[in-house]
Amino acid sequence: TGQIREAIPVIEKSITIIEKTLGKDHLKIAALANNLADVYSISARYKEAVQLYYRAYTINKKALGAKHPEVKKKRFYYL
């Protein structure tokens, strides 16, 4: 609850910093987007969560390929 609300700006800031340093399609962005989506989901911010889950999926798919086990797992859970 309180800790979850505190986590959101920290993860958002982390995403911003890593986007600037490593690029918007880096695998670290996918991991952070997935983590933020989890926090949004717990906070009942489902629309935002779905958008971030999809972002994480597309980054992973682009970086790892559609047949990679991690990409297949995320496709199964999030799409």
Side-chain angles (χ1 to χ4, degrees):
T1 54
Q3 291 178 331
I4 291 171
R5 277 185 267 130
E6 292 171 10
I8 292 172
V10 172
I11 300 170
E12 290 173 337
K13 185 173 182 173
S14 297
I15 289 172
T16 300
I17 291 168
I18 293 176
E19 282 177 339
K20 288 179 183 177
T21 56
L22 300 176
K24 294 184 180 236
D25 292 329
H26 195 277
L27 285 173
K28 289 186 182 203
I29 297 296
L32 287 168
N34 193 77
N35 292 344
L36 185 55
D38 288 343
V39 174
Y40 281 158
S41 184
I42 292 168
S43 302
R45 293 171 64 174
Y46 302 117
K47 184 176 180 179
E48 293 161 295
V50 168
Q51 292 170 343
L52 285 169
Y53 284 134
Y54 185 74
R55 181 176 183 194
Y57 169 76
T58 56
I59 291 170
N60 279 310
K61 183 179 175 187
K62 181 178 179 183
L64 303 172
K67 295 184 179 185
H68 190 278
E70 187 68 22
V71 175
K72 287 182 177 182
K73 180 176 81 173
K74 291 201 183 317
R75 184 178 186 273
F76 176 76
Y77 285 119
Y78 304 136
L79 300 180

